[in-house]
Amino acid sequence: MADDRREELEELLKHQRDAFTASRPEAMSLRKDRIRRAMALLKENDEELCRAMGADFGNRAIEQSMITDIAGTVGLGKDALKHMDSWAKTDKRKVQFPLNLLGAKAEVRYEPKGVIGILSPWNFPVNLAFAPLMQVLAAGNRAMIKPSEFTERTSELMADLTARYFARDEVAVVTGGPEVAAAFSSLPFDHLVFTGSTATGRLVMQSAAKNLVPVTLELGGKSPVIMGRSADFAKAGERIALGKMMNAGQICLAPDYMYVPEDKEDEAVAGVSNGVSAMYPTLLENDDYCSIVSDRHFDRLKGLVEDARDKGAEIIEVNPGGEDFGSSNQRKMPLTILRNVSDDMAAMQEEIFGPVLPVKTYRAVDEAVDYVNENDRPLGLYYFGEDEAEQERVLSRTISGGVTTNDVIFHVSMEDLPFGGVGPSGIGSYHAIEGFREFSHARSVYHQPKIDIAKLAGFKPPYSKATLKAAANMMK
């Protein structure tokens, strides 16, 4: 990357940090004004943003973008406005006896960190830039955003709109390719948020570590669906199909593979297939069905299917309209179910991020639990069934970023639940009070009374029997 771009990023960071420092302390009303402007940016330019996303993908339903990228993000802004006063309240803490009787006081103040960097991905390009921004602003910070180059039109539009609604020292969007993203992640931010793949997340964390920048990593992984024998396979199949087909499966929380009872595999596969047919009677000319974002990603998905075929998997294309996908140049792919999968297949080794769904079978549900535990901890986990004891067994014996029961993905849309991964699926979380605190510094403050506590407690030399007595009392 040219030195002038790096200097531009460094100058922008300094500009924002200087403004942040000079304005302290800022009133809550200023934070709220920034959130309202971010919400206005989205609401007043919703159709233009949705058209840009559609152009970047090749085909993406405006209705889907309105729900996932515009309305859902505005909802997080509304939630922050409603709760941020209570989130920001100073916590009164206890002090040890007898300091409490002598007038000592302790508290925790939740204060802004400074300038937060946001590295956002292409799959929900508006939501995954502006959703964390809502809480970054609620916590009183400034923000620099580097959106993905894969959704170039959307990124450029976000940069233009942000410059209209915000001063450069409040919120700024910088665009560019991988070299700009690498330079961005190496800046000495006060906190860095990255959403993307686990592999890239490792690189971002390495880069941030050089400046000891704390990170929030929203990654992904292989989010399993475990179907109990008590599941309604028709209803479950339709819900799984909705989660797997939305955005053509290009969702970090999309169900990545299904684990089903051995004697119910046909029923489970039929449930998903019928769910696809009910929602998408055709795919190629159906504006409701999203395209794969790029040729590279499309080829990677086709490669996963061919690898599975070569290694013995049964390939089931769910193609309700009997369409010819081979002659299409729309980068659309039917849901492709893989049966008889093995762990040496690429589709079982990497996050799929597209409309490919492997199916594994179990005799006893503990086989599915053990499989989840033997692999990287997933971002999401989904259980279908009416057996509450079995559901609790699955939940209590596994670890994942979040859980939805009897559906998929929905936990991320709950504004009062934190969203984040664990281990390879992420570090930290945002949404709700947990997000506010993620972007705040919990500052401990202790107020000493006028009395000489150190002398009273025997802490001052010369030491005496009083010192030993004080130590003994502390250990009782």
Side-chain angles (χ1 to χ4, degrees):
M1 185 183 71
D3 289 341
D4 56 344
R5 285 306 307 272
R6 181 176 295 278
E7 290 175 5
E8 175 191 335
L9 295 176
E10 292 172 347
E11 186 276 330
L12 178 56
L13 174 58
K14 183 179 186 303
H15 183 56
Q16 289 204 352
R17 183 169 284 133
D18 288 348
F20 168 79
T21 302
S23 66
R24 295 226 342 118
E26 281 189 334
M28 289 294 284
S29 59
L30 287 175
R31 301 187 192 186
K32 292 177 181 178
D33 175 63
R34 291 181 183 127
I35 293 172
R36 290 189 181 99
R37 277 185 275 148
M39 293 167 61
L41 183 158
L42 298 173
K43 291 192 287 186
E44 292 168 8
N45 302 280
D46 53 0
E47 291 187 7
E48 190 177 4
L49 285 163
C50 290
R51 285 195 298 270
M53 285 183 274
D56 280 328
F57 275 83
N59 181 79
R60 194 183 200 237
I62 284 180
E63 295 87 346
Q64 181 206 299
S65 294
M66 281 289 188
I67 293 171
T68 59
D69 281 79
I70 307 300
T73 312
V74 169
L76 282 173
K78 290 167 62 178
D79 187 65
L81 289 174
K82 182 177 180 180
H83 297 291
M84 57 193 286
D85 286 319
S86 62
W87 293 343
K89 281 183 178 177
T90 297
D91 280 350
K92 301 298 182 183
R93 298 294 178 94
K94 295 178 181 178
V95 297
Q96 298 93 316
F97 176 86
L99 295 175
N100 57 327
L101 301 179
L102 299 173
K105 295 180 181 179
E107 64 191 25
V108 176
R109 299 181 180 186
Y110 296 99
E111 300 184 346
K113 289 185 172 183
V115 182
I116 312 294
I118 300 173
L119 270 168
S120 58
W122 51 263
N123 57 325
F124 293 102
V126 175
N127 173 271
L128 292 173
F130 279 79
L133 177 66
M134 297 298 183
Q135 293 194 306
V136 165
L137 296 177
N141 302 287
R142 310 296 171 109
M144 291 170 56
I145 302 172
K146 165 59 181 77
S148 173
E149 66 274 12
F150 286 111
T151 43
E152 184 177 4
R153 297 172 185 83
T154 308
S155 296
E156 293 292 347
L157 179 57
M158 285 195 297
D160 291 343
L161 293 174
T162 300
R164 274 190 246 161
Y165 284 77
F166 291 95
R168 187 167 171 266
D169 63 14
E170 294 177 303
V171 181
V173 174
V174 295
T175 59
E179 70 286 351
V180 176
F184 190 91
S185 65
S186 71
L187 294 174
F189 290 112
D190 298 294
H191 195 103
L192 180 62
V193 185
F194 168 77
T195 306
S197 71
T198 300
T200 305
R202 288 191 174 97
L203 298 176
V204 169
M205 191 172 183
Q206 288 174 8
S207 187
K210 294 174 184 176
N211 292 307
L212 296 179
V213 174
V215 295
T216 301
L217 302 180
E218 300 296 348
L219 308 177
K222 301 187 72 61
S223 297
V225 173
I226 298 177
M227 301 182 78
R229 282 188 171 82
S230 61
D232 180 330
F233 288 89
K235 184 184 295 183
E238 184 168 90
R239 293 178 180 185
I240 293 164
L242 175 61
K244 193 64 173 173
M245 297 292 276
M246 179 184 288
N247 216 41
Q250 298 165 111
I251 306 176
C252 59
L253 278 167
D256 198 276
Y257 64 96
M258 290 199 310
Y259 230 129
V260 304
E262 191 175 63
D263 56 331
K264 298 283 189 178
E265 183 180 15
D266 290 342
E267 194 174 347
V269 169
V272 175
S273 299
N274 292 337
V276 172
S277 299
M279 291 182 286
Y280 302 96
T282 63
L283 297 170
L284 283 178
E285 301 302 326
N286 188 340
D287 288 341
D288 289 343
Y289 188 54
C290 186
S291 298
I292 305 302
V293 72
S294 68
D295 290 339
R296 187 178 75 176
H297 191 39
F298 187 61
D299 291 341
R300 187 188 71 85
L301 290 167
K302 289 193 295 184
L304 292 180
V305 174
E306 290 311 308
D307 173 78
R309 190 193 309 273
D310 292 344
K311 293 174 180 173
E314 177 188 352
I315 311 299
I316 302 171
E317 282 195 359
V318 184
N319 183 0
E323 297 167 285
D324 181 8
F325 285 83
S327 62
S328 171
N329 61 356
Q330 296 185 57
R331 294 198 308 269
K332 285 195 173 183
M333 184 177 186
L335 177 64
T336 306
I337 297 174
L338 310 179
R339 296 179 67 166
N340 304 321
V341 295
S342 56
D343 289 347
D344 65 334
M345 296 175 184
M348 292 307 299
Q349 295 175 353
E350 59 186 76
E351 183 179 7
I352 290 170
F353 223 70
V356 178
L357 183 63
V359 181
K360 291 178 70 70
T361 63
Y362 65 80
R363 290 189 177 90
V365 75
D366 280 351
E367 295 173 38
V369 168
D370 290 342
Y371 185 83
V372 172
N373 287 335
E374 288 163 5
N375 291 280
D376 288 346
R377 289 168 178 170
L379 183 60
L381 183 144
Y382 310 114
Y383 172 83
F384 286 85
E386 300 306 318
D387 185 333
E388 292 186 5
E390 182 180 76
Q391 173 182 294
E392 186 56 33
R393 182 166 181 79
V394 170
L395 266 60
S396 63
R397 291 198 58 229
T398 57
I399 296 174
S400 66
V403 173
T404 294
T405 65
N406 289 310
D407 213 323
V408 298
I409 300 175
F410 264 84
H411 62 278
V412 73
S413 64
M414 299 301 107
E415 291 165 354
D416 201 32
L417 286 178
F419 169 61
V422 55
S425 59
I427 295 173
S429 60
Y430 63 97
H431 294 196
I433 190 172
E434 288 83 1
F436 177 87
R437 292 187 174 175
E438 185 88 353
F439 305 128
S440 301
H441 169 56
R443 190 181 190 187
S444 302
V445 180
Y446 172 70
H447 299 283
Q448 189 74 287
K450 292 179 180 180
I451 191 168
D452 191 343
I453 296 295
K455 183 177 180 179
L456 184 68
F459 295 162
K460 278 187 176 179
Y463 297 126
S464 64
K465 289 183 180 179
T467 306
L468 295 176
K469 184 178 180 181
N473 287 334
M474 289 170 67
M475 293 185 284
K476 284 183 179 178

